[in-house]
Amino acid sequence: MASATTPDDSDDPVTVLTFDLEDDRYCVRADAVASVFGVADDESMATADDPWNAGSVSVGRERVRVVDLPRAFASSARTTARVAEPKLLVFRVTDVDDAYYGWLVDDVDITRTIQPSDLEPTRMGGHMPHVKGHLEIDGEDVIWLDEQAIHG
């Protein structure tokens, strides 16, 4: 497993896809994402008992198991404000039941190319194993998520 300061085996440039959850910006390796869809009705996911397993949706002929990231990452002390039309990041990997993994997010931006050596450890340290670290992209602090850790 790669360390927080060097998430990849080399320092070759990596393309990441940036996205938003409330006021925070995140990214994930772009090559891990198969597609991005708009979600017209997220009510069943928004009310699921477990945001880490917020149900599934059909995309074409494929089933996508959804993680409701705005709720999963929100502290229990604050209410998560829902956006009108969230986006669903669908990843290239599937679970044991051949369902794709998907993350419900507030908004998706564009891809950016970054240097893995720019990644710094987060202040949270080992408390958030799904976070590789953070870096600055276009003047904004961006948290790099480890999709493999989130998918389990």
Side-chain angles (χ1 to χ4, degrees):
M1 176 181 278
S3 72
T5 55
T6 56
D8 302 296
D9 294 336
S10 71
D11 193 36
D12 292 337
V14 174
T15 302
V16 295
L17 178 65
T18 57
F19 60 92
D20 297 327
L21 299 175
E22 291 190 350
D23 296 329
D24 297 320
R25 174 134 313 185
Y26 293 85
C27 71
V28 65
R29 289 182 69 103
D31 62 0
V33 178
S35 55
V36 177
F37 295 95
V39 177
D41 181 12
D42 69 329
E43 184 62 30
S44 64
M45 294 174 269
T47 58
D49 290 337
D50 181 2
W52 292 98
N53 187 10
S56 64
V57 296
S58 293
V59 176
R61 295 182 182 183
E62 303 297 338
R63 196 167 54 89
V64 179
R65 192 186 82 168
V66 178
V67 175
D68 185 348
L69 280 189
R71 287 183 44 225
F73 285 10
S75 80
S76 58
R78 75 174 195 215
T79 305
T80 302
R82 301 299 286 196
V83 297
E85 293 184 28
K87 304 294 186 257
L88 182 66
L89 300 180
V90 178
F91 289 84
R92 296 185 187 282
V93 296
T94 60
D95 64 14
V96 295
D97 297 323
D98 288 329
Y100 286 87
Y101 291 99
W103 296 354
L104 194 64
V105 301
D106 291 345
D107 195 24
V108 177
D109 199 15
I110 61 174
T111 59
R112 306 280 198 312
T113 302
I114 57 99
Q115 291 297 131
S117 60
D118 293 340
L119 193 64
E120 298 178 12
T122 63
R123 292 180 286 276
M124 292 152 279
H127 294 68
M128 299 187 76
H130 54 275
V131 174
K132 288 186 177 189
H134 71 96
L135 65 156
E136 188 175 300
I137 299 176
D138 295 338
E140 290 186 89
D141 192 43
V142 178
I143 300 167
W144 190 345
L145 296 179
D146 183 346
E147 75 281 353
Q148 293 175 348
I150 289 177
H151 299 157

